[in-house]
Amino acid sequence: MTLKRIAPYGTWHSPISVDATIYKNRALTSPRVNTKSGRAFFIESTEDGRHTVIEITDDGLEDILPQDCSVQNRVYEYGGSKYDVLDSDQLIFSNKNDTVCLLNPDSGEVQLLVQSDVLRYSSFCANHSSPWVLAIEEDHTFTDPYKVQNYIVAINVESRAVKRVVTGADFYYIPQFSQDGSRVSWVEWNHPDLPFAAGKLYIGDWAPDGSIKNARLIAGQNMESVAEPRWGPDGSLFFGKEMGPHRKLYRIPPGEDSETLIQLDGLDDAEFAEARLMEGSRTFVPLTANLLVATAVTNGLSRLIAINLSTGSWKLLADDKTLCHISADSVAKLDDNSVLVIGNGTVSHKAVHRIDVEHPENNKVIRKAIDEKFPDGIFARPETLRVRSKGSPTRDIFGFLWMPRNPLYTGPTGELPPLILNTHGGPTGHTGSGLNLRGQYFTSRGYAYLELNYTGSTGHGRHYRESLFGNWGIVDSADVVEVADHLADAGRVNRNGIGITGASAGGYNTLQSLSRYPGKFAGGVCVCGISDLLSFNDGTHKLESDYTEALVLHPGVSEEEKLKIFHERSAMYHTDGMDSPLLLLHGQADTVVPIQQARIIAEALKKLDRDVEIIEVEDEGHMFSKPSSAKLWLLEEERWWKKTLLKHRQRG
């Protein structure tokens, strides 16, 4: 038995190092398989910040991408799907310099296919019966967001010809060939609508000359939140659609245009398929004409299930310790009975899993995000929160809480831990309960850590998501205070040691919470957040050019009312009430939320002689994706919490 050392919360020594959290922690995404040859691949990050392609072989894992390449793109600024596998096993991918290239996985040879100073490409889908590959093309000839154009194109990998095959809409997502290459599907929508509701599903017939014939709208006519169209091996088309309170799966059988709901008993409150701001989600896949593997999300918790399409029955494929969070580009067919899935569990790191539907004894972890071993008992376990608000409107608020945990330490008797309250980006996104080493970095040092899925988060049903629209900056910041007060009132955390943080939309929430609720927080850390909605709205990129107004304004407001509301919802104009110490981190090359958003509020607070620091990161964009930037963020955040949250110890 190990005797625990008594030490104040927030001061514990932890084996979870900065290097393990940042440099040794791989980002894993995008499984792809050529089901004819059986060759399988995925993307992972490297310690120097590249994104490389890993092949899964009988002899182990092999990095097949030359070091001067990185699989990434800037379509819609956030980037879309990055590559696909051709029938020949060659890979078509978007390179870091906005080129499109072809990779021979055996020789490592990279061939340039498309290069342009103004065109970007993403979301590749190969036709396994011809040399054509579908992709999204984005034309930046003009910098005005409303003049940036998007198309669906076909790239001929033999002739290098690029043809625009679908035009006319403002936005396109997920162009897909049917498995026999005879048909095409895609999702599109127009300004000022958003993909969460307005995505429309089209299909058409593929012609040998590289064109689409007989294009027709088949779903999404009535703001039904269509998402993730996927073709089955028998020619069925599957997709998610929101006809009620939760998005469900639908199927269009071969040769038909009418859809059928896939009824699943016991999953009424689960939603399927992701309608996200970021393009390219793959959270379900048909394996055979009668078997589908899908992710069911209930209140932010993911479950991987197998669906028998003949009987309508389903079964769980992994417990929550193994897989409780599956999101974005994460699921691919390996063969008729197994899938590759990327996700994490409550006590397991994110990993690439092979999941066998009929023979779970064949399940295998192929690649973990981190190889380092940590002591038993070091990882905190998530608690699911569902808090009934005291304020109006009466509502449930969701999140996941991790209390301090370290097998070598305990806090002084009766002392309460400080709380770090993190608000996710989006704002229409959500955070799951999977093991997150960054959060564990803090819990193992004696902090409580909360991921708040505030009103507007996805994964909690349509009403919860749509309740944010028109109310951004009000209800989401109120949720922060409701949950913080709930935990303090329950004697779980130190009321005087609560800090709020977030990045992007989470940064906006941080600033709003600090300005609207003076004295509530011991400190705040805002990463690439918005301080002035009007200037942000005037200068943001195409994908989000109508997003802010939809989130902040109710329909029908006048221009005068709009300016007034933008002013009211911007922390920049309410700095008098911001008395909590504030740390601002921002990338100088951020094209989503420009650096000026941090500079103006830092300057305003300095004039008021408030405790504020701003750290600008050269050559860093919106996502703080460079390892050196992520390390800086973690170290500076920890410094700030030591300075602000540990000042006032409180006993329960």
Side-chain angles (χ1 to χ4, degrees):
M1 179 178 178
T2 302
L3 293 177
K4 291 190 175 186
R5 179 181 175 184
I6 299 173
Y9 290 108
T11 68
W12 302 348
H13 295 289
S14 170
I16 302 176
S17 67
V18 173
D19 280 353
T21 304
I22 304 299
Y23 292 101
K24 306 297 183 181
N25 194 6
R26 308 177 186 95
L28 303 171
T29 187
S30 309
R32 295 287 186 274
V33 181
N34 182 348
T35 54
K36 290 184 179 180
S37 68
R39 297 182 73 167
F41 311 86
F42 61 89
I43 295 174
E44 73 174 33
S45 62
T46 63
E47 291 189 30
D48 61 0
R50 293 172 54 247
H51 295 269
T52 191
V53 179
I54 304 296
E55 181 172 8
I56 304 167
T57 74
D58 292 338
D59 297 324
L61 302 177
E62 183 180 353
D63 186 339
I64 61 172
L65 189 69
Q67 294 220 350
D68 59 347
C69 296
S70 181
V71 183
Q72 59 193 74
N73 62 72
R74 299 183 295 157
V75 171
Y76 298 128
E77 297 303 327
Y78 293 110
S81 291
K82 302 171 181 66
Y83 77 123
D84 200 18
V85 186
L86 308 184
D87 193 60
S88 64
D89 288 327
Q90 291 179 293
L91 277 64
I92 185 170
F93 70 97
S94 52
N95 203 0
K96 59 185 178 182
N97 55 1
D98 292 328
T99 58
V100 179
C101 298
L102 204 60
L103 169 67
N104 184 319
D106 299 315
S107 67
E109 179 187 358
V110 173
Q111 175 186 351
L112 178 66
L113 289 180
V114 183
Q115 184 173 23
S116 170
D117 293 334
V118 296
L119 301 177
R120 305 173 184 176
Y121 296 88
S122 73
S123 203
F124 305 97
C125 183
N127 187 319
H128 289 277
S129 301
S130 77
W132 292 102
V133 176
L134 294 175
I136 295 172
E137 182 184 74
E138 187 168 81
D139 187 344
H140 284 259
T141 299
F142 302 99
T143 57
D144 184 328
Y146 285 94
K147 293 183 179 180
V148 173
Q149 300 295 313
N150 290 91
Y151 312 95
I152 294 177
V153 299
I155 302 171
N156 190 304
V157 297
E158 294 177 353
S159 68
R160 303 187 188 184
V162 180
K163 298 180 61 175
R164 291 175 177 169
V165 294
V166 183
T167 63
D170 292 320
F171 302 95
Y172 298 99
Y173 273 10
I174 322 173
Q176 294 281 296
F177 279 116
S178 62
Q179 294 191 21
D180 66 0
S182 66
R183 291 192 290 170
V184 176
S185 64
W186 68 92
V187 173
E188 68 175 56
W189 76 97
N190 291 304
H191 290 298
D193 294 325
L194 297 169
F196 318 113
K200 297 180 176 67
L201 176 59
Y202 283 78
I203 62 172
D205 301 321
W206 183 250
D209 64 352
S211 62
I212 296 174
K213 311 293 185 184
N214 193 28
R216 55 203 185 274
L217 173 65
I218 58 168
Q221 300 93 324
N222 301 307
M223 306 292 283
E224 296 155 345
S225 189
V226 170
E228 284 194 57
R230 304 294 297 272
W231 293 95
D234 66 341
S236 294
L237 181 61
F238 299 86
F239 55 93
K241 191 173 81 162
E242 206 170 55
M243 294 294 289
H246 299 88
R247 191 180 305 103
K248 301 300 181 184
L249 290 176
Y250 287 78
R251 178 187 189 184
I252 297 177
E256 299 182 18
D257 280 355
S258 59
E259 64 198 33
T260 302
L261 171 67
I262 298 175
Q263 298 273 6
L264 299 170
D265 292 341
L267 293 177
D268 291 344
D269 60 347
E271 66 181 37
F272 295 84
E274 287 186 334
R276 304 172 76 232
L277 197 63
M278 296 184 185
E279 191 270 344
S281 286
R282 297 168 183 244
T283 61
F284 74 90
V285 66
L287 301 187
T288 69
N290 293 313
L291 181 61
L292 185 79
V293 171
T295 306
V297 182
T298 306
N299 294 336
L301 179 67
S302 301
R303 287 176 287 175
L304 188 71
I305 65 171
I307 302 169
N308 186 314
L309 297 169
S310 297
T311 65
S313 61
W314 61 274
K315 66 178 181 180
L316 190 65
L317 294 178
D319 62 23
D320 62 359
K321 292 181 180 180
T322 304
L323 286 170
C324 68
H325 187 62
I326 302 165
S327 183
D329 190 345
S330 296
V331 180
K333 175 181 175 178
L334 188 58
D335 55 44
D336 287 354
N337 201 54
S338 61
V339 291
L340 293 179
V341 179
I342 297 176
N344 49 358
T346 57
V347 295
S348 57
H349 298 288
K350 178 174 278 192
V352 181
H353 297 261
R354 173 181 174 167
I355 301 292
D356 193 304
V357 174
E358 294 299 330
H359 301 284
E361 67 273 13
N362 294 332
N363 291 354
K364 181 181 180 181
V365 174
I366 293 170
R367 180 67 142 180
K368 292 182 179 179
I370 187 165
D371 297 325
E372 187 168 336
K373 304 295 183 183
F374 295 98
D376 292 339
I378 192 66
F379 294 133
R381 307 294 178 90
E383 300 176 27
T384 300
L385 291 185
R386 184 170 184 163
V387 176
R388 191 69 171 168
S389 71
K390 295 180 179 179
S392 179
T394 303
R395 62 200 183 277
D396 288 333
I397 308 164
F398 298 88
F400 298 104
L401 173 69
W402 291 261
M403 294 299 287
R405 185 183 179 107
N406 188 316
L408 300 181
Y409 288 88
T410 187
T413 301
E415 187 171 312
L416 298 176
L419 172 68
I420 300 169
L421 196 159
N422 187 64
T423 57
H424 61 71
T428 36
H430 78 272
T431 303
S433 59
L435 183 63
N436 175 2
L437 206 59
R438 199 179 193 281
Q440 300 289 337
Y441 179 91
F442 288 108
T443 58
S444 63
R445 284 164 169 77
Y447 295 88
Y449 190 87
L450 171 67
E451 292 282 5
L452 183 64
N453 284 321
Y454 49 80
T455 299
S457 299
T458 56
H460 297 74
R462 183 176 194 163
H463 176 73
Y464 197 69
R465 184 186 75 242
E466 292 185 345
S467 294
L468 184 64
F469 285 82
N471 301 304
W472 192 34
I474 298 177
V475 67
D476 48 327
S477 59
D479 286 354
V480 169
V481 174
E482 290 272 6
V483 174
D485 284 348
H486 170 81
L487 293 174
D489 291 345
R492 303 293 304 280
V493 301
N494 179 356
R495 186 184 304 275
N496 299 315
I498 299 176
I500 180 171
T501 185
S504 191
Y508 172 68
N509 192 325
T510 297
L511 296 179
Q512 284 296 100
S513 298
L514 293 174
S515 65
R516 290 174 60 83
Y517 299 96
K520 276 289 183 182
F521 302 97
V525 177
C526 171
V527 182
C528 53
I530 304 161
S531 64
D532 178 15
L533 288 174
L534 183 59
S535 61
F536 168 73
N537 189 56
D538 288 343
T540 194
H541 59 113
K542 177 184 178 181
L543 183 63
E544 296 185 301
S545 55
D546 299 298
Y547 195 19
T548 302
E549 293 193 13
L551 288 166
V552 175
L553 306 176
H554 291 286
V557 301
S558 66
E559 186 66 21
E560 182 179 354
E561 290 172 313
K562 167 187 165 180
L563 296 178
K564 179 181 178 182
I565 293 170
F566 273 22
H567 188 278
E568 290 173 349
R569 306 275 184 92
S570 297
M572 173 62 201
Y573 305 109
H574 305 284
T575 51
D576 286 349
M578 295 181 69
D579 52 10
S580 300
L582 174 63
L583 173 65
L584 298 152
L585 293 103
H586 217 112
Q588 291 181 346
D590 192 338
T591 58
V592 176
V593 180
I595 183 68
Q596 192 66 16
Q597 292 289 320
R599 289 173 177 168
I600 57 175
I601 196 165
E603 185 63 27
L605 289 169
K606 286 177 182 177
K607 287 181 179 179
L608 295 171
D609 201 27
R610 300 293 158 77
D611 188 354
V612 60
E613 291 184 28
I614 180 171
I615 297 174
E616 299 185 10
V617 184
E618 188 178 1
D619 295 327
E620 182 55 78
H622 187 60
M623 306 302 288
F624 265 66
S625 56
K626 294 180 180 178
S628 58
S629 303
K631 178 180 179 179
L632 174 71
W633 174 5
L634 179 60
L635 289 173
E636 290 296 333
E637 182 179 345
E638 183 182 15
R639 175 182 68 86
W640 203 252
W641 297 143
K642 285 181 177 180
K643 168 185 171 179
T644 60
L645 304 193
L646 305 186
K647 289 169 56 177
H648 304 289
R649 294 165 63 183
Q650 177 186 352
R651 296 189 177 275

